Amino acid sequence: MEKYSSYRKTEEIYFNWNEYILAPALALLVVSIITYISLYFFGTIFTVFLILIGAGIINSLWLGLKSFSPNGNSRSRPKVPSFIALLSFLRTYVIVLFILVIANIGAYVLVVHQKENILYAGLFYFWLAIVFGLPIAYFVSREIIASRKQYAQALRYTKVHFKIKYDPEFLLQIDEIAFLNTLKKRGAWLSLHQKEKNDSSVPLASLNITARNEILFSPRYHESIFIPINTNQFKVAYFSVMENVYYEDIITFPYEKLHFEENKYPTDEPQILRGNKTDTITISFFKNGKIKLYSGQKLLLEHSLHVSQTITEEEKNIAKEVYIEKRGLNKITLQPELKAIIEKRTKLNETFFSWDLTVATPQKHLIETNYYNADSEDIKIVADEVTTTRIESTLPHSLVCYCYANGIRKWTTIEIDTAVLYALLLSKKATTFELNLSLDVVTATIQLNLNINNQPSNFNAWENNNVEHNLLEITTKLKEQEENKRKETLYTCIYEHMQKKEYAIAEEKCKQAIKENPSDGILYFYEARIVFYRYGKEACYDKEAYYIEKTKDDRYGLSRIYNNYGCLLDDDKEYEKALPYFEKAADICPEDVMYTANIAEIHYKLKNVKKAIYFANETQKKGYISEMMTTIIKNKGKI
């Protein structure tokens, strides 16, 4: 085959100041300082010998580290003649010596300048450029080269998600899948042997429904790959163990049928590097060399591959033995009756039904239906109370249930034995049926019933798998919502009696509710208001300490109690005394803007202009609008 280029990931280059300063600039600077001291105090001849000896020591250390470090090669090597080993040593020695000489030019220039008052400025600047400039130039050149490669590859390749699907008991050994642009000599080859999911060595019939469905409906391979832009050929080669046939073919790839749109992320990269995205490309394998290629749910092509004429029977037998041994399979796996099972699953994959899904649930749910034919588009159904949906599809293999509580969360998946359902439908010659699903997330109860020809049918071939941590969070949230709803109903009932001045009835209901829920602080607030309305302010003042004690563990109730007594004092025009109560209420519940508004109003009445304006503005910032706040702002805090 002609030589093709492929996508290569470009490693990002980072300019690291520590790396730059320590290696090599700092190291060269240290060498220069040592040389400077040697030249200044001991002279040129001594320094030359020092450099020669230093180069030898550094070279020996370098070769030793290279040979015995984890990144080096410490394995035994064949013996080589001494003169060849010496030549190898001399080669690296000369390189080290050259680096040391260059690094020491600056030291030499400084010593000459100090002793003879002669400055070789050009030589000194050359030394600075070498010691400090070359490392920067090195990083810059690496960045330029990496960016050039990155942009060049962005113009030549595009990223796609690629899946491989086939019946796991069909037993395929895929040798090659490649996307080729024959005009530009570019290609993309899949690394299948490392990433392809192994076929189960255990017969699927022996597994439970969940484990069997997991194997049946999961892709055998799923990775992101970079294929050439304008790919025009698609190469496939594989050995079908069950059929004892080797298929290989190169077919035209319909690149023009792929729909691309711009990637919006990551936003810190230019568009050319973000590239374009398209739907997942999926290849499905069937018997007799038939393949189907999809982009998302859209069929790109359907093709029957050629049987290879270059593979001998002996090579096939060897390949089969290797495959069986590698996958841990046995003779049972290869029995002829397995072919009939695969045929039935193929039929299931192609047979469509018209059926109804009825969901009954006291909570709002989203039901996601997954079908036997994985290339069918999954349907999402929003169910509230009782919802019926007519579906035209292959048979369902799972129903994924999400509950709307504190967001939307998955709490259970119902796995269906589609083969048993199919057998029931065939036995009754039915093409339509109804699945009735009852869900209650609070009690975690699930019922799935089957009706065929409007008659109940015994169907127990399903099992559910709960997501326990989600289920716990959902039930806790729903119970909390139910409790809040019950409280709101009770509060409304008491409040309505108060509005109608039916204080005796309101007091009786309040006392009964407190008896049942002694920790509910809001009930004590309502009782305090009833005491005020029925028995007067003094009676209410007398019970202040009691209500504060009862609500100390409920910040909502406690803040209401403080606000209540602040309002009573405000009504008595005791503004100075009322202010601390409103401030305590705001401190306990800062999110309740009503308390801030009451503080603004008290400051307004106390003629604290600046504070009145400040707190009034704070309420408006939080979206609280009232006639009093508008008046304070309009009058600029002055009465």
Side-chain angles (χ1 to χ4, degrees):
M1 185 178 177
E2 298 179 65
K3 189 174 181 180
Y4 278 69
S5 61
S6 60
Y7 178 88
R8 292 182 181 275
K9 186 178 180 181
T10 305
E11 296 296 332
E12 194 168 351
I13 307 299
Y14 295 98
F15 183 84
N16 188 320
W17 277 106
N18 292 329
E19 181 184 347
Y20 167 68
I21 292 170
L22 294 174
L26 185 58
L28 294 178
L29 201 58
V30 170
V31 170
S32 298
I33 292 170
I34 294 171
T35 304
Y36 169 80
I37 294 170
S38 175
L39 281 169
Y40 194 86
F41 292 103
F42 303 105
T44 305
I45 295 175
F46 177 83
T47 304
V48 169
F49 278 107
L50 183 65
I51 292 172
L52 291 171
I53 294 168
I57 294 171
I58 292 170
N59 188 42
S60 299
L61 289 172
W62 164 250
L63 291 175
L65 288 171
K66 185 178 178 183
S67 298
F68 296 103
S69 71
N71 296 322
N73 188 358
S74 59
R75 71 174 184 272
S76 60
R77 296 184 177 87
K79 291 184 177 180
V80 295
S82 299
F83 75 94
I84 293 178
L86 180 61
L87 286 175
S88 176
F89 179 85
L90 285 174
R91 179 169 62 91
T92 53
Y93 176 79
V94 170
I95 293 171
V96 173
L97 183 61
F98 175 76
I99 293 171
L100 290 179
V101 170
I102 294 296
N104 292 322
I105 290 175
Y108 173 77
V109 172
L110 286 174
V111 170
V112 170
H113 177 63
Q114 287 179 319
K115 289 192 172 185
E116 302 178 14
N117 201 26
I118 300 172
L119 178 62
Y120 298 105
L123 200 57
F124 184 74
Y125 291 137
F126 171 75
W127 172 77
L128 285 177
I130 292 294
V131 173
F132 295 100
L134 278 183
I136 295 177
Y138 166 72
F139 280 110
V140 170
S141 64
R142 285 183 63 192
E143 177 65 34
I144 291 171
I145 292 169
S147 295
R148 180 182 171 277
K149 287 181 180 178
Q150 201 173 11
Y151 276 86
Q153 294 204 123
L155 293 170
R156 296 169 183 169
Y157 299 91
T158 186
K159 183 179 180 180
V160 299
H161 297 288
F162 186 72
K163 290 182 182 179
I164 296 175
K165 293 181 179 179
Y166 58 85
D167 192 303
E169 290 184 325
F170 194 37
L171 307 185
L172 300 184
Q173 175 63 53
I174 301 174
D175 290 333
E176 185 177 16
I177 289 181
F179 294 83
L180 306 173
N181 182 330
T182 57
L183 301 177
K184 300 291 185 179
K185 304 302 178 193
R186 298 180 189 131
W189 287 262
L190 273 64
S191 302
L192 293 165
H193 299 296
Q194 291 76 30
K195 297 179 180 178
E196 184 184 8
K197 289 186 179 180
N198 288 338
D199 299 320
S200 174
S201 58
V202 180
L204 293 181
S206 66
L207 301 175
N208 62 32
I209 300 171
T210 300
R212 183 163 63 248
N213 282 0
E214 172 66 23
I215 295 172
L216 275 173
F217 302 108
S218 296
R220 315 305 300 155
Y221 173 98
H222 186 192
E223 291 290 330
S224 295
I225 60 172
F226 288 84
I227 68 171
I229 291 175
N230 294 322
T231 293
N232 61 342
Q233 287 192 351
F234 183 63
K235 185 177 181 182
V236 187
Y238 71 93
F239 177 53
S240 173
V241 179
M242 294 292 294
E243 297 175 301
N244 197 34
V245 177
Y246 195 91
Y247 297 98
E248 63 178 342
D249 209 346
I250 298 177
I251 56 183
T252 301
F253 183 78
Y255 187 86
E256 68 283 353
K257 291 185 179 180
L258 299 180
H259 174 69
F260 289 95
E261 58 183 49
E262 289 186 354
N263 259 326
K264 296 180 180 179
Y265 303 98
T267 55
D268 58 346
E269 284 189 357
Q271 178 56 48
I272 190 172
L273 294 183
R274 292 201 299 266
N276 298 321
K277 62 181 180 180
T278 187
D279 292 329
T280 300
I281 297 175
T282 305
I283 182 172
S284 296
F285 290 88
F286 304 93
K287 68 173 186 175
N288 299 325
K290 183 180 177 182
I291 64 166
K292 290 182 180 181
L293 203 62
Y294 292 87
S295 174
Q297 308 297 331
K298 181 175 70 175
L299 181 65
L300 292 179
L301 64 87
E302 185 175 347
H303 185 79
S304 293
L305 304 180
H306 295 149
V307 177
S308 175
Q309 303 299 324
T310 59
I311 306 296
T312 65
E313 287 299 320
E314 184 180 355
E315 289 173 324
K316 290 179 186 176
N317 290 332
I318 293 172
K320 182 185 289 187
E321 289 175 8
V322 170
Y323 183 91
I324 291 171
E325 183 179 353
K326 180 180 176 183
R327 304 298 173 98
L329 303 177
N330 52 44
K331 292 180 180 179
I332 297 175
T333 309
L334 300 175
Q335 285 179 351
E337 50 265 33
L338 186 58
K339 292 183 179 180
I341 296 173
I342 295 172
E343 282 281 349
K344 185 181 290 185
R345 286 204 286 259
T346 303
K347 187 72 174 174
L348 257 172
N349 193 63
E350 297 171 348
T351 305
F352 282 72
F353 290 84
S354 177
W355 57 286
D356 290 333
L357 176 61
T358 299
V359 182
T361 174
Q363 304 91 20
K364 188 177 180 181
H365 272 75
L366 175 71
I367 312 297
E368 182 180 275
T369 57
N370 298 312
Y371 306 113
Y372 199 93
N373 184 333
D375 301 314
S376 300
E377 186 174 0
D378 298 334
I379 293 178
K380 292 181 174 63
I381 299 166
V382 177
D384 199 355
E385 295 183 352
V386 178
T387 304
T388 301
T389 305
R390 171 58 59 93
I391 301 171
E392 304 279 343
S393 70
T394 54
L395 294 179
H397 72 78
S398 68
L399 302 171
V400 187
C401 305
Y402 300 81
C403 183
Y404 288 89
N406 196 24
I408 177 168
R409 295 182 179 223
K410 181 172 82 170
W411 71 277
T412 193
T413 300
I414 301 166
E415 299 288 349
I416 299 171
D417 191 331
T418 315
V420 174
L421 176 59
Y422 184 57
L424 273 172
L425 293 170
L426 286 182
S427 68
K428 300 193 176 183
K429 298 180 181 180
T431 57
T432 62
F433 63 94
E434 182 181 2
L435 282 177
N436 296 315
L437 175 62
S438 297
L439 298 169
D440 189 340
V441 70
V442 174
T443 58
T445 55
I446 302 168
Q447 289 184 343
L448 185 65
N449 299 314
L450 172 67
N451 287 344
I452 301 176
N453 298 327
N454 296 320
Q455 295 295 322
S457 185
N458 186 25
F459 179 68
N460 298 313
W462 60 274
E463 58 192 32
N464 66 289
N465 300 289
N466 295 342
V467 184
E468 294 298 339
H469 63 279
N470 280 358
L471 181 58
L472 178 61
E473 289 183 15
I474 291 169
T475 52
T476 301
K477 188 64 180 178
L478 287 174
K479 287 176 181 177
E480 182 183 309
Q481 290 174 352
E482 189 64 31
E483 177 62 15
N484 289 339
K485 187 177 177 181
R486 185 195 65 78
K487 285 182 178 180
E488 285 299 322
T489 303
L490 177 60
Y491 300 155
T492 301
C493 177
I494 294 170
Y495 181 75
E496 286 177 350
H497 285 299
M498 289 167 61
Q499 287 289 94
K500 296 175 183 177
K501 298 184 179 182
E502 298 171 347
Y503 301 126
I505 299 174
E507 185 176 18
E508 183 182 345
K509 288 187 176 294
C510 201
K511 286 185 181 299
Q512 181 61 35
I514 289 173
K515 186 177 179 181
E516 295 172 0
N517 301 280
S519 61
D520 189 343
I522 298 297
L523 290 174
Y524 291 102
F525 161 70
Y526 278 117
E527 186 183 54
R529 296 302 294 173
I530 293 167
V531 168
F532 162 64
Y533 288 131
R534 194 172 187 191
Y535 305 109
K537 286 181 184 178
E538 290 305 320
C540 193
Y541 284 137
D542 289 342
K543 299 192 73 172
E544 178 184 339
Y546 167 79
Y547 289 128
I548 290 174
E549 174 64 25
K550 287 295 184 180
T551 58
K552 65 182 181 181
D553 297 323
D554 183 343
R555 70 188 192 96
Y556 298 108
L558 183 59
S559 62
R560 286 296 182 93
I561 290 295
Y562 278 119
N563 189 71
N564 174 64
Y565 283 103
C567 290
L568 293 180
L569 291 166
D570 177 25
D571 190 53
D572 288 339
K573 296 184 170 42
E574 298 279 357
Y575 304 133
E576 293 284 356
K577 291 181 180 180
L579 181 58
Y581 284 90
F582 292 133
E583 289 175 336
K584 286 180 181 178
D587 287 341
I588 295 168
C589 269
E591 69 272 20
D592 195 327
V593 193
M594 176 182 68
Y595 305 143
T596 307
N598 288 343
I599 292 171
E601 185 176 343
I602 288 295
H603 280 299
Y604 181 61
K605 292 174 179 177
L606 288 170
K607 299 182 181 179
N608 297 329
V609 175
K610 289 184 179 180
K611 289 186 177 181
I613 294 173
Y614 171 78
F615 285 106
N617 284 330
E618 286 297 304
T619 63
Q620 292 209 336
K621 284 178 186 176
K622 296 177 181 178
Y624 184 88
I625 299 173
S626 72
E627 185 178 345
M628 176 55 73
M629 296 303 105
T630 305
T631 301
I632 293 171
I633 293 170
K634 183 179 178 181
N635 295 339
K636 298 181 180 180
K638 297 178 181 179
I639 296 180

PDB file of all heavy atoms in Angstrom, residues 177-188:
ATOM      1  N   ILE A 177      -9.902  -1.172  10.168  1.00  0.00           N
ATOM      2  CA  ILE A 177     -10.896  -0.194   9.743  1.00  0.00           C
ATOM      3  C   ILE A 177     -10.142   1.103   9.513  1.00  0.00           C
ATOM      4  O   ILE A 177      -9.415   1.566  10.396  1.00  0.00           O
ATOM      5  CB  ILE A 177     -11.998   0.004  10.796  1.00  0.00           C
ATOM      6  CG1 ILE A 177     -12.901  -1.237  10.874  1.00  0.00           C
ATOM      7  CG2 ILE A 177     -12.850   1.229  10.474  1.00  0.00           C
ATOM      8  CD1 ILE A 177     -14.043  -1.113  11.869  1.00  0.00           C
ATOM      9  N   ALA A 178     -10.285   1.649   8.316  1.00  0.00           N
ATOM     10  CA  ALA A 178      -9.508   2.844   7.974  1.00  0.00           C
ATOM     11  C   ALA A 178     -10.346   3.810   7.156  1.00  0.00           C
ATOM     12  O   ALA A 178     -11.168   3.403   6.329  1.00  0.00           O
ATOM     13  CB  ALA A 178      -8.249   2.464   7.201  1.00  0.00           C
ATOM     14  N   PHE A 179     -10.153   5.106   7.450  1.00  0.00           N
ATOM     15  CA  PHE A 179     -10.747   6.185   6.656  1.00  0.00           C
ATOM     16  C   PHE A 179      -9.614   6.780   5.804  1.00  0.00           C
ATOM     17  O   PHE A 179      -8.591   7.206   6.355  1.00  0.00           O
ATOM     18  CB  PHE A 179     -11.334   7.264   7.565  1.00  0.00           C
ATOM     19  CG  PHE A 179     -12.499   6.813   8.391  1.00  0.00           C
ATOM     20  CD1 PHE A 179     -12.298   6.137   9.587  1.00  0.00           C
ATOM     21  CD2 PHE A 179     -13.802   7.052   7.982  1.00  0.00           C
ATOM     22  CE1 PHE A 179     -13.364   5.724  10.372  1.00  0.00           C
ATOM     23  CE2 PHE A 179     -14.879   6.638   8.763  1.00  0.00           C
ATOM     24  CZ  PHE A 179     -14.661   5.973   9.951  1.00  0.00           C
ATOM     25  N   LEU A 180      -9.810   6.825   4.491  1.00  0.00           N
ATOM     26  CA  LEU A 180      -8.723   7.225   3.592  1.00  0.00           C
ATOM     27  C   LEU A 180      -9.127   8.388   2.694  1.00  0.00           C
ATOM     28  O   LEU A 180     -10.258   8.447   2.200  1.00  0.00           O
ATOM     29  CB  LEU A 180      -8.291   6.053   2.704  1.00  0.00           C
ATOM     30  CG  LEU A 180      -7.899   4.751   3.413  1.00  0.00           C
ATOM     31  CD1 LEU A 180      -7.656   3.654   2.394  1.00  0.00           C
ATOM     32  CD2 LEU A 180      -6.675   4.963   4.286  1.00  0.00           C
ATOM     33  N   ASN A 181      -8.197   9.317   2.546  1.00  0.00           N
ATOM     34  CA  ASN A 181      -8.294  10.343   1.500  1.00  0.00           C
ATOM     35  C   ASN A 181      -7.200  10.003   0.505  1.00  0.00           C
ATOM     36  O   ASN A 181      -6.024  10.326   0.709  1.00  0.00           O
ATOM     37  CB  ASN A 181      -8.096  11.733   2.092  1.00  0.00           C
ATOM     38  CG  ASN A 181      -8.230  12.840   1.058  1.00  0.00           C
ATOM     39  OD1 ASN A 181      -7.935  12.635  -0.129  1.00  0.00           O
ATOM     40  ND2 ASN A 181      -8.662  14.014   1.480  1.00  0.00           N
ATOM     41  N   THR A 182      -7.588   9.307  -0.559  1.00  0.00           N
ATOM     42  CA  THR A 182      -6.591   8.792  -1.503  1.00  0.00           C
ATOM     43  C   THR A 182      -5.963   9.899  -2.343  1.00  0.00           C
ATOM     44  O   THR A 182      -4.874   9.718  -2.879  1.00  0.00           O
ATOM     45  CB  THR A 182      -7.239   7.750  -2.433  1.00  0.00           C
ATOM     46  OG1 THR A 182      -8.357   8.357  -3.110  1.00  0.00           O
ATOM     47  CG2 THR A 182      -7.729   6.550  -1.642  1.00  0.00           C
ATOM     48  N   LEU A 183      -6.639  11.028  -2.457  1.00  0.00           N
ATOM     49  CA  LEU A 183      -6.091  12.130  -3.260  1.00  0.00           C
ATOM     50  C   LEU A 183      -4.948  12.818  -2.525  1.00  0.00           C
ATOM     51  O   LEU A 183      -3.936  13.196  -3.137  1.00  0.00           O
ATOM     52  CB  LEU A 183      -7.194  13.140  -3.582  1.00  0.00           C
ATOM     53  CG  LEU A 183      -8.397  12.588  -4.368  1.00  0.00           C
ATOM     54  CD1 LEU A 183      -9.442  13.672  -4.552  1.00  0.00           C
ATOM     55  CD2 LEU A 183      -7.945  12.059  -5.726  1.00  0.00           C
ATOM     56  N   LYS A 184      -5.092  12.979  -1.218  1.00  0.00           N
ATOM     57  CA  LYS A 184      -4.068  13.668  -0.416  1.00  0.00           C
ATOM     58  C   LYS A 184      -3.149  12.687   0.318  1.00  0.00           C
ATOM     59  O   LYS A 184      -2.236  13.117   1.024  1.00  0.00           O
ATOM     60  CB  LYS A 184      -4.738  14.581   0.616  1.00  0.00           C
ATOM     61  CG  LYS A 184      -5.630  15.666   0.015  1.00  0.00           C
ATOM     62  CD  LYS A 184      -4.806  16.709  -0.720  1.00  0.00           C
ATOM     63  CE  LYS A 184      -5.691  17.852  -1.206  1.00  0.00           C
ATOM     64  NZ  LYS A 184      -4.910  18.883  -1.909  1.00  0.00           N
ATOM     65  N   LYS A 185      -3.403  11.388   0.169  1.00  0.00           N
ATOM     66  CA  LYS A 185      -2.610  10.357   0.837  1.00  0.00           C
ATOM     67  C   LYS A 185      -2.637  10.533   2.366  1.00  0.00           C
ATOM     68  O   LYS A 185      -1.609  10.514   3.035  1.00  0.00           O
ATOM     69  CB  LYS A 185      -1.156  10.357   0.330  1.00  0.00           C
ATOM     70  CG  LYS A 185      -1.022  10.187  -1.165  1.00  0.00           C
ATOM     71  CD  LYS A 185      -1.676   8.894  -1.620  1.00  0.00           C
ATOM     72  CE  LYS A 185      -1.580   8.766  -3.155  1.00  0.00           C
ATOM     73  NZ  LYS A 185      -2.459   7.715  -3.658  1.00  0.00           N
ATOM     74  N   ARG A 186      -3.831  10.696   2.899  1.00  0.00           N
ATOM     75  CA  ARG A 186      -4.004  10.811   4.341  1.00  0.00           C
ATOM     76  C   ARG A 186      -4.985   9.730   4.804  1.00  0.00           C
ATOM     77  O   ARG A 186      -5.894   9.353   4.060  1.00  0.00           O
ATOM     78  CB  ARG A 186      -4.540  12.193   4.731  1.00  0.00           C
ATOM     79  CG  ARG A 186      -3.600  13.330   4.364  1.00  0.00           C
ATOM     80  CD  ARG A 186      -4.158  14.680   4.761  1.00  0.00           C
ATOM     81  NE  ARG A 186      -3.339  15.753   4.202  1.00  0.00           N
ATOM     82  CZ  ARG A 186      -3.808  16.800   3.534  1.00  0.00           C
ATOM     83  NH1 ARG A 186      -5.116  16.930   3.363  1.00  0.00           N
ATOM     84  NH2 ARG A 186      -2.991  17.707   3.060  1.00  0.00           N
ATOM     85  N   GLY A 187      -4.795   9.276   6.031  1.00  0.00           N
ATOM     86  CA  GLY A 187      -5.670   8.223   6.530  1.00  0.00           C
ATOM     87  C   GLY A 187      -5.807   8.243   8.027  1.00  0.00           C
ATOM     88  O   GLY A 187      -5.099   8.957   8.742  1.00  0.00           O
ATOM     89  N   ALA A 188      -6.756   7.439   8.513  1.00  0.00           N
ATOM     90  CA  ALA A 188      -6.967   7.248   9.960  1.00  0.00           C
ATOM     91  C   ALA A 188      -7.253   5.771  10.182  1.00  0.00           C
ATOM     92  O   ALA A 188      -8.192   5.229   9.597  1.00  0.00           O
ATOM     93  CB  ALA A 188      -8.120   8.109  10.450  1.00  0.00           C
TER      94      ALA A 188
END
